Amino acid sequence: MQNHNEILNWYQTFTPNAEQRKNWYGSVAETYDRVRPKYDRAFLERALAVAAVPQHGKILEIGCGPGTATRSLAQMGYSIVALEPSLEACEFARQHT
């Protein structure tokens, strides 16, 4: 894929409108959370170091899904504002973080 328009066109072939895209996996949020591998703490620590996030800093997580990374980051002492367009996944994340 050579440019932004090609990537956007490829992406839109799966679901043509924003309303459909924001509900892609909402109905399977619980299953997704159960079967998706969790992030290794060393991986998260490395990502935080690369991003220069201070210890116990604030994180904006865009597209948190069911809260896979959110829970781990919260347990590590970070304050998180997590955004999720899927209402079902957002509710699942709220209940489990």
PDB file of all heavy atoms in Angstrom, residues 35-68:
ATOM      1  N   VAL A  35      -9.971 -14.716  25.275  1.00  0.00           N
ATOM      2  CA  VAL A  35      -9.030 -15.491  24.464  1.00  0.00           C
ATOM      3  C   VAL A  35      -7.819 -14.691  23.989  1.00  0.00           C
ATOM      4  O   VAL A  35      -6.816 -15.293  23.605  1.00  0.00           O
ATOM      5  CB  VAL A  35      -9.728 -16.132  23.242  1.00  0.00           C
ATOM      6  CG1 VAL A  35     -10.835 -17.064  23.699  1.00  0.00           C
ATOM      7  CG2 VAL A  35     -10.251 -15.098  22.273  1.00  0.00           C
ATOM      8  N   ARG A  36      -7.906 -13.374  24.012  1.00  0.00           N
ATOM      9  CA  ARG A  36      -6.779 -12.580  23.541  1.00  0.00           C
ATOM     10  C   ARG A  36      -5.649 -12.638  24.558  1.00  0.00           C
ATOM     11  O   ARG A  36      -5.871 -12.433  25.747  1.00  0.00           O
ATOM     12  CB  ARG A  36      -7.189 -11.121  23.355  1.00  0.00           C
ATOM     13  CG  ARG A  36      -6.093 -10.312  22.672  1.00  0.00           C
ATOM     14  CD  ARG A  36      -6.317  -8.831  22.881  1.00  0.00           C
ATOM     15  NE  ARG A  36      -5.383  -8.047  22.119  1.00  0.00           N
ATOM     16  CZ  ARG A  36      -4.076  -7.985  22.358  1.00  0.00           C
ATOM     17  NH1 ARG A  36      -3.542  -8.682  23.332  1.00  0.00           N
ATOM     18  NH2 ARG A  36      -3.292  -7.230  21.618  1.00  0.00           N
ATOM     19  N   PRO A  37      -4.427 -12.900  24.091  1.00  0.00           N
ATOM     20  CA  PRO A  37      -3.304 -12.914  25.031  1.00  0.00           C
ATOM     21  C   PRO A  37      -3.147 -11.556  25.709  1.00  0.00           C
ATOM     22  O   PRO A  37      -3.352 -10.514  25.096  1.00  0.00           O
ATOM     23  CB  PRO A  37      -2.090 -13.213  24.150  1.00  0.00           C
ATOM     24  CG  PRO A  37      -2.659 -13.847  22.929  1.00  0.00           C
ATOM     25  CD  PRO A  37      -4.009 -13.238  22.739  1.00  0.00           C
ATOM     26  N   LYS A  38      -2.806 -11.579  26.969  1.00  0.00           N
ATOM     27  CA  LYS A  38      -2.602 -10.349  27.728  1.00  0.00           C
ATOM     28  C   LYS A  38      -1.200  -9.816  27.437  1.00  0.00           C
ATOM     29  O   LYS A  38      -0.311 -10.540  27.020  1.00  0.00           O
ATOM     30  CB  LYS A  38      -2.774 -10.593  29.234  1.00  0.00           C
ATOM     31  CG  LYS A  38      -4.121 -11.205  29.606  1.00  0.00           C
ATOM     32  CD  LYS A  38      -5.298 -10.400  29.079  1.00  0.00           C
ATOM     33  CE  LYS A  38      -6.613 -11.011  29.501  1.00  0.00           C
ATOM     34  NZ  LYS A  38      -7.530 -11.259  28.420  1.00  0.00           N
ATOM     35  N   TYR A  39      -1.012  -8.524  27.672  1.00  0.00           N
ATOM     36  CA  TYR A  39       0.291  -7.911  27.451  1.00  0.00           C
ATOM     37  C   TYR A  39       1.253  -8.292  28.568  1.00  0.00           C
ATOM     38  O   TYR A  39       0.926  -8.207  29.745  1.00  0.00           O
ATOM     39  CB  TYR A  39       0.169  -6.387  27.387  1.00  0.00           C
ATOM     40  CG  TYR A  39      -0.599  -5.910  26.188  1.00  0.00           C
ATOM     41  CD1 TYR A  39      -1.912  -5.482  26.307  1.00  0.00           C
ATOM     42  CD2 TYR A  39      -0.017  -5.910  24.926  1.00  0.00           C
ATOM     43  CE1 TYR A  39      -2.623  -5.044  25.205  1.00  0.00           C
ATOM     44  CE2 TYR A  39      -0.717  -5.479  23.815  1.00  0.00           C
ATOM     45  CZ  TYR A  39      -2.022  -5.041  23.964  1.00  0.00           C
ATOM     46  OH  TYR A  39      -2.723  -4.616  22.870  1.00  0.00           O
ATOM     47  N   ASP A  40       2.440  -8.686  28.193  1.00  0.00           N
ATOM     48  CA  ASP A  40       3.507  -8.994  29.127  1.00  0.00           C
ATOM     49  C   ASP A  40       3.954  -7.694  29.795  1.00  0.00           C
ATOM     50  O   ASP A  40       4.048  -6.649  29.155  1.00  0.00           O
ATOM     51  CB  ASP A  40       4.662  -9.633  28.347  1.00  0.00           C
ATOM     52  CG  ASP A  40       5.831  -9.949  29.215  1.00  0.00           C
ATOM     53  OD1 ASP A  40       5.774 -10.966  29.922  1.00  0.00           O
ATOM     54  OD2 ASP A  40       6.803  -9.174  29.182  1.00  0.00           O
ATOM     55  N   ARG A  41       4.194  -7.746  31.090  1.00  0.00           N
ATOM     56  CA  ARG A  41       4.587  -6.539  31.834  1.00  0.00           C
ATOM     57  C   ARG A  41       5.853  -5.906  31.245  1.00  0.00           C
ATOM     58  O   ARG A  41       5.949  -4.684  31.144  1.00  0.00           O
ATOM     59  CB  ARG A  41       4.783  -6.858  33.312  1.00  0.00           C
ATOM     60  CG  ARG A  41       5.071  -5.598  34.120  1.00  0.00           C
ATOM     61  CD  ARG A  41       5.189  -5.885  35.603  1.00  0.00           C
ATOM     62  NE  ARG A  41       5.505  -4.687  36.327  1.00  0.00           N
ATOM     63  CZ  ARG A  41       4.645  -3.990  37.059  1.00  0.00           C
ATOM     64  NH1 ARG A  41       3.409  -4.410  37.176  1.00  0.00           N
ATOM     65  NH2 ARG A  41       5.025  -2.905  37.696  1.00  0.00           N
ATOM     66  N   ALA A  42       6.818  -6.724  30.834  1.00  0.00           N
ATOM     67  CA  ALA A  42       8.054  -6.180  30.256  1.00  0.00           C
ATOM     68  C   ALA A  42       7.750  -5.399  28.969  1.00  0.00           C
ATOM     69  O   ALA A  42       8.365  -4.361  28.709  1.00  0.00           O
ATOM     70  CB  ALA A  42       9.043  -7.297  29.980  1.00  0.00           C
ATOM     71  N   PHE A  43       6.811  -5.891  28.185  1.00  0.00           N
ATOM     72  CA  PHE A  43       6.410  -5.187  26.966  1.00  0.00           C
ATOM     73  C   PHE A  43       5.809  -3.829  27.306  1.00  0.00           C
ATOM     74  O   PHE A  43       6.159  -2.811  26.701  1.00  0.00           O
ATOM     75  CB  PHE A  43       5.403  -6.034  26.177  1.00  0.00           C
ATOM     76  CG  PHE A  43       4.784  -5.300  25.019  1.00  0.00           C
ATOM     77  CD1 PHE A  43       5.460  -5.187  23.822  1.00  0.00           C
ATOM     78  CD2 PHE A  43       3.528  -4.718  25.141  1.00  0.00           C
ATOM     79  CE1 PHE A  43       4.897  -4.502  22.755  1.00  0.00           C
ATOM     80  CE2 PHE A  43       2.958  -4.035  24.083  1.00  0.00           C
ATOM     81  CZ  PHE A  43       3.648  -3.925  22.884  1.00  0.00           C
ATOM     82  N   LEU A  44       4.891  -3.817  28.284  1.00  0.00           N
ATOM     83  CA  LEU A  44       4.267  -2.556  28.682  1.00  0.00           C
ATOM     84  C   LEU A  44       5.293  -1.586  29.251  1.00  0.00           C
ATOM     85  O   LEU A  44       5.272  -0.386  28.940  1.00  0.00           O
ATOM     86  CB  LEU A  44       3.152  -2.803  29.696  1.00  0.00           C
ATOM     87  CG  LEU A  44       1.911  -3.505  29.151  1.00  0.00           C
ATOM     88  CD1 LEU A  44       0.950  -3.837  30.291  1.00  0.00           C
ATOM     89  CD2 LEU A  44       1.228  -2.680  28.086  1.00  0.00           C
ATOM     90  N   GLU A  45       6.210  -2.079  30.065  1.00  0.00           N
ATOM     91  CA  GLU A  45       7.243  -1.216  30.635  1.00  0.00           C
ATOM     92  C   GLU A  45       8.107  -0.609  29.543  1.00  0.00           C
ATOM     93  O   GLU A  45       8.466   0.569  29.605  1.00  0.00           O
ATOM     94  CB  GLU A  45       8.095  -1.998  31.638  1.00  0.00           C
ATOM     95  CG  GLU A  45       7.354  -2.292  32.929  1.00  0.00           C
ATOM     96  CD  GLU A  45       8.117  -3.197  33.872  1.00  0.00           C
ATOM     97  OE1 GLU A  45       9.157  -3.777  33.469  1.00  0.00           O
ATOM     98  OE2 GLU A  45       7.668  -3.331  35.028  1.00  0.00           O
ATOM     99  N   ARG A  46       8.427  -1.407  28.535  1.00  0.00           N
ATOM    100  CA  ARG A  46       9.244  -0.903  27.415  1.00  0.00           C
ATOM    101  C   ARG A  46       8.476   0.163  26.629  1.00  0.00           C
ATOM    102  O   ARG A  46       9.024   1.214  26.280  1.00  0.00           O
ATOM    103  CB  ARG A  46       9.669  -2.054  26.504  1.00  0.00           C
ATOM    104  CG  ARG A  46      10.461  -1.630  25.309  1.00  0.00           C
ATOM    105  CD  ARG A  46      11.827  -1.080  25.719  1.00  0.00           C
ATOM    106  NE  ARG A  46      12.553  -0.702  24.537  1.00  0.00           N
ATOM    107  CZ  ARG A  46      13.265   0.415  24.412  1.00  0.00           C
ATOM    108  NH1 ARG A  46      13.391   1.228  25.444  1.00  0.00           N
ATOM    109  NH2 ARG A  46      13.871   0.702  23.308  1.00  0.00           N
ATOM    110  N   ALA A  47       7.198  -0.095  26.348  1.00  0.00           N
ATOM    111  CA  ALA A  47       6.375   0.878  25.620  1.00  0.00           C
ATOM    112  C   ALA A  47       6.275   2.187  26.395  1.00  0.00           C
ATOM    113  O   ALA A  47       6.373   3.281  25.814  1.00  0.00           O
ATOM    114  CB  ALA A  47       4.994   0.299  25.355  1.00  0.00           C
ATOM    115  N   LEU A  48       6.095   2.095  27.694  1.00  0.00           N
ATOM    116  CA  LEU A  48       6.011   3.295  28.537  1.00  0.00           C
ATOM    117  C   LEU A  48       7.335   4.056  28.542  1.00  0.00           C
ATOM    118  O   LEU A  48       7.347   5.288  28.507  1.00  0.00           O
ATOM    119  CB  LEU A  48       5.600   2.910  29.955  1.00  0.00           C
ATOM    120  CG  LEU A  48       4.177   2.367  30.095  1.00  0.00           C
ATOM    121  CD1 LEU A  48       4.011   1.670  31.440  1.00  0.00           C
ATOM    122  CD2 LEU A  48       3.151   3.471  29.908  1.00  0.00           C
ATOM    123  N   ALA A  49       8.433   3.332  28.565  1.00  0.00           N
ATOM    124  CA  ALA A  49       9.751   3.972  28.542  1.00  0.00           C
ATOM    125  C   ALA A  49       9.987   4.677  27.204  1.00  0.00           C
ATOM    126  O   ALA A  49      10.454   5.824  27.179  1.00  0.00           O
ATOM    127  CB  ALA A  49      10.843   2.940  28.799  1.00  0.00           C
ATOM    128  N   VAL A  50       9.658   4.016  26.119  1.00  0.00           N
ATOM    129  CA  VAL A  50       9.832   4.616  24.793  1.00  0.00           C
ATOM    130  C   VAL A  50       8.969   5.872  24.657  1.00  0.00           C
ATOM    131  O   VAL A  50       9.390   6.874  24.087  1.00  0.00           O
ATOM    132  CB  VAL A  50       9.506   3.592  23.677  1.00  0.00           C
ATOM    133  CG1 VAL A  50       9.391   4.259  22.326  1.00  0.00           C
ATOM    134  CG2 VAL A  50      10.558   2.493  23.649  1.00  0.00           C
ATOM    135  N   ALA A  51       7.754   5.819  25.197  1.00  0.00           N
ATOM    136  CA  ALA A  51       6.842   6.961  25.132  1.00  0.00           C
ATOM    137  C   ALA A  51       7.166   8.025  26.185  1.00  0.00           C
ATOM    138  O   ALA A  51       6.533   9.075  26.213  1.00  0.00           O
ATOM    139  CB  ALA A  51       5.403   6.486  25.301  1.00  0.00           C
ATOM    140  N   ALA A  52       8.133   7.747  27.041  1.00  0.00           N
ATOM    141  CA  ALA A  52       8.553   8.666  28.102  1.00  0.00           C
ATOM    142  C   ALA A  52       7.393   9.040  29.023  1.00  0.00           C
ATOM    143  O   ALA A  52       7.256  10.188  29.440  1.00  0.00           O
ATOM    144  CB  ALA A  52       9.207   9.912  27.519  1.00  0.00           C
ATOM    145  N   VAL A  53       6.566   8.058  29.365  1.00  0.00           N
ATOM    146  CA  VAL A  53       5.472   8.280  30.303  1.00  0.00           C
ATOM    147  C   VAL A  53       6.059   8.201  31.712  1.00  0.00           C
ATOM    148  O   VAL A  53       6.667   7.198  32.070  1.00  0.00           O
ATOM    149  CB  VAL A  53       4.353   7.225  30.136  1.00  0.00           C
ATOM    150  CG1 VAL A  53       3.241   7.443  31.145  1.00  0.00           C
ATOM    151  CG2 VAL A  53       3.799   7.249  28.719  1.00  0.00           C
ATOM    152  N   PRO A  54       5.891   9.241  32.514  1.00  0.00           N
ATOM    153  CA  PRO A  54       6.458   9.203  33.866  1.00  0.00           C
ATOM    154  C   PRO A  54       5.762   8.151  34.729  1.00  0.00           C
ATOM    155  O   PRO A  54       4.595   7.816  34.501  1.00  0.00           O
ATOM    156  CB  PRO A  54       6.208  10.609  34.406  1.00  0.00           C
ATOM    157  CG  PRO A  54       5.121  11.175  33.575  1.00  0.00           C
ATOM    158  CD  PRO A  54       5.174  10.486  32.244  1.00  0.00           C
ATOM    159  N   GLN A  55       6.489   7.642  35.705  1.00  0.00           N
ATOM    160  CA  GLN A  55       5.909   6.659  36.617  1.00  0.00           C
ATOM    161  C   GLN A  55       4.647   7.244  37.239  1.00  0.00           C
ATOM    162  O   GLN A  55       4.645   8.384  37.700  1.00  0.00           O
ATOM    163  CB  GLN A  55       6.917   6.280  37.691  1.00  0.00           C
ATOM    164  CG  GLN A  55       6.456   5.146  38.565  1.00  0.00           C
ATOM    165  CD  GLN A  55       7.536   4.703  39.532  1.00  0.00           C
ATOM    166  OE1 GLN A  55       8.509   5.389  39.778  1.00  0.00           O
ATOM    167  NE2 GLN A  55       7.347   3.532  40.092  1.00  0.00           N
ATOM    168  N   HIS A  56       3.573   6.464  37.223  1.00  0.00           N
ATOM    169  CA  HIS A  56       2.264   6.868  37.734  1.00  0.00           C
ATOM    170  C   HIS A  56       1.683   8.056  36.962  1.00  0.00           C
ATOM    171  O   HIS A  56       0.880   8.812  37.501  1.00  0.00           O
ATOM    172  CB  HIS A  56       2.309   7.164  39.237  1.00  0.00           C
ATOM    173  CG  HIS A  56       2.832   6.011  40.026  1.00  0.00           C
ATOM    174  ND1 HIS A  56       2.149   4.824  40.139  1.00  0.00           N
ATOM    175  CD2 HIS A  56       3.984   5.853  40.704  1.00  0.00           C
ATOM    176  CE1 HIS A  56       2.854   3.983  40.872  1.00  0.00           C
ATOM    177  NE2 HIS A  56       3.982   4.581  41.227  1.00  0.00           N
ATOM    178  N   GLY A  57       2.099   8.201  35.685  1.00  0.00           N
ATOM    179  CA  GLY A  57       1.596   9.280  34.853  1.00  0.00           C
ATOM    180  C   GLY A  57       0.197   8.995  34.318  1.00  0.00           C
ATOM    181  O   GLY A  57      -0.428   7.983  34.653  1.00  0.00           O
ATOM    182  N   LYS A  58      -0.279   9.895  33.472  1.00  0.00           N
ATOM    183  CA  LYS A  58      -1.597   9.758  32.874  1.00  0.00           C
ATOM    184  C   LYS A  58      -1.452   9.272  31.441  1.00  0.00           C
ATOM    185  O   LYS A  58      -0.577   9.731  30.713  1.00  0.00           O
ATOM    186  CB  LYS A  58      -2.338  11.088  32.895  1.00  0.00           C
ATOM    187  CG  LYS A  58      -2.660  11.556  34.292  1.00  0.00           C
ATOM    188  CD  LYS A  58      -3.413  12.862  34.269  1.00  0.00           C
ATOM    189  CE  LYS A  58      -3.697  13.307  35.700  1.00  0.00           C
ATOM    190  NZ  LYS A  58      -4.428  14.579  35.722  1.00  0.00           N
ATOM    191  N   ILE A  59      -2.356   8.371  31.038  1.00  0.00           N
ATOM    192  CA  ILE A  59      -2.312   7.775  29.710  1.00  0.00           C
ATOM    193  C   ILE A  59      -3.667   7.959  29.044  1.00  0.00           C
ATOM    194  O   ILE A  59      -4.707   7.712  29.656  1.00  0.00           O
ATOM    195  CB  ILE A  59      -1.975   6.274  29.796  1.00  0.00           C
ATOM    196  CG1 ILE A  59      -0.574   6.087  30.381  1.00  0.00           C
ATOM    197  CG2 ILE A  59      -2.112   5.598  28.435  1.00  0.00           C
ATOM    198  CD1 ILE A  59      -0.222   4.651  30.695  1.00  0.00           C
ATOM    199  N   LEU A  60      -3.648   8.348  27.782  1.00  0.00           N
ATOM    200  CA  LEU A  60      -4.852   8.383  26.957  1.00  0.00           C
ATOM    201  C   LEU A  60      -4.801   7.144  26.074  1.00  0.00           C
ATOM    202  O   LEU A  60      -3.896   6.995  25.255  1.00  0.00           O
ATOM    203  CB  LEU A  60      -4.901   9.652  26.101  1.00  0.00           C
ATOM    204  CG  LEU A  60      -6.015   9.689  25.051  1.00  0.00           C
ATOM    205  CD1 LEU A  60      -7.395   9.629  25.713  1.00  0.00           C
ATOM    206  CD2 LEU A  60      -5.880  10.951  24.196  1.00  0.00           C
ATOM    207  N   GLU A  61      -5.755   6.251  26.266  1.00  0.00           N
ATOM    208  CA  GLU A  61      -5.804   5.014  25.478  1.00  0.00           C
ATOM    209  C   GLU A  61      -6.972   5.113  24.505  1.00  0.00           C
ATOM    210  O   GLU A  61      -8.129   5.182  24.907  1.00  0.00           O
ATOM    211  CB  GLU A  61      -5.983   3.803  26.393  1.00  0.00           C
ATOM    212  CG  GLU A  61      -5.953   2.509  25.640  1.00  0.00           C
ATOM    213  CD  GLU A  61      -6.139   1.298  26.528  1.00  0.00           C
ATOM    214  OE1 GLU A  61      -6.459   1.447  27.716  1.00  0.00           O
ATOM    215  OE2 GLU A  61      -5.983   0.191  26.007  1.00  0.00           O
ATOM    216  N   ILE A  62      -6.656   5.164  23.229  1.00  0.00           N
ATOM    217  CA  ILE A  62      -7.680   5.286  22.197  1.00  0.00           C
ATOM    218  C   ILE A  62      -7.957   3.907  21.619  1.00  0.00           C
ATOM    219  O   ILE A  62      -7.052   3.241  21.117  1.00  0.00           O
ATOM    220  CB  ILE A  62      -7.244   6.271  21.102  1.00  0.00           C
ATOM    221  CG1 ILE A  62      -7.008   7.642  21.734  1.00  0.00           C
ATOM    222  CG2 ILE A  62      -8.279   6.336  19.986  1.00  0.00           C
ATOM    223  CD1 ILE A  62      -6.445   8.675  20.817  1.00  0.00           C
ATOM    224  N   GLY A  63      -9.213   3.480  21.712  1.00  0.00           N
ATOM    225  CA  GLY A  63      -9.591   2.152  21.241  1.00  0.00           C
ATOM    226  C   GLY A  63      -9.215   1.090  22.256  1.00  0.00           C
ATOM    227  O   GLY A  63      -8.501   0.143  21.962  1.00  0.00           O
ATOM    228  N   CYS A  64      -9.700   1.217  23.474  1.00  0.00           N
ATOM    229  CA  CYS A  64      -9.297   0.309  24.556  1.00  0.00           C
ATOM    230  C   CYS A  64      -9.923  -1.075  24.447  1.00  0.00           C
ATOM    231  O   CYS A  64      -9.503  -1.987  25.153  1.00  0.00           O
ATOM    232  CB  CYS A  64      -9.618   0.927  25.908  1.00  0.00           C
ATOM    233  SG  CYS A  64     -11.370   0.964  26.330  1.00  0.00           S
ATOM    234  N   GLY A  65     -10.917  -1.241  23.571  1.00  0.00           N
ATOM    235  CA  GLY A  65     -11.585  -2.542  23.488  1.00  0.00           C
ATOM    236  C   GLY A  65     -12.142  -2.909  24.846  1.00  0.00           C
ATOM    237  O   GLY A  65     -12.663  -2.061  25.565  1.00  0.00           O
ATOM    238  N   PRO A  66     -12.019  -4.172  25.232  1.00  0.00           N
ATOM    239  CA  PRO A  66     -12.549  -4.585  26.524  1.00  0.00           C
ATOM    240  C   PRO A  66     -11.639  -4.249  27.703  1.00  0.00           C
ATOM    241  O   PRO A  66     -11.878  -4.671  28.818  1.00  0.00           O
ATOM    242  CB  PRO A  66     -12.723  -6.084  26.358  1.00  0.00           C
ATOM    243  CG  PRO A  66     -11.668  -6.471  25.381  1.00  0.00           C
ATOM    244  CD  PRO A  66     -11.564  -5.311  24.430  1.00  0.00           C
ATOM    245  N   GLY A  67     -10.585  -3.476  27.469  1.00  0.00           N
ATOM    246  CA  GLY A  67      -9.719  -3.035  28.559  1.00  0.00           C
ATOM    247  C   GLY A  67      -8.513  -3.917  28.813  1.00  0.00           C
ATOM    248  O   GLY A  67      -7.982  -3.935  29.917  1.00  0.00           O
ATOM    249  N   THR A  68      -8.045  -4.610  27.795  1.00  0.00           N
ATOM    250  CA  THR A  68      -6.921  -5.539  27.957  1.00  0.00           C
ATOM    251  C   THR A  68      -5.688  -4.838  28.525  1.00  0.00           C
ATOM    252  O   THR A  68      -5.154  -5.255  29.547  1.00  0.00           O
ATOM    253  CB  THR A  68      -6.594  -6.210  26.613  1.00  0.00           C
ATOM    254  OG1 THR A  68      -7.779  -6.833  26.110  1.00  0.00           O
ATOM    255  CG2 THR A  68      -5.504  -7.249  26.756  1.00  0.00           C
TER     256      THR A  68
END
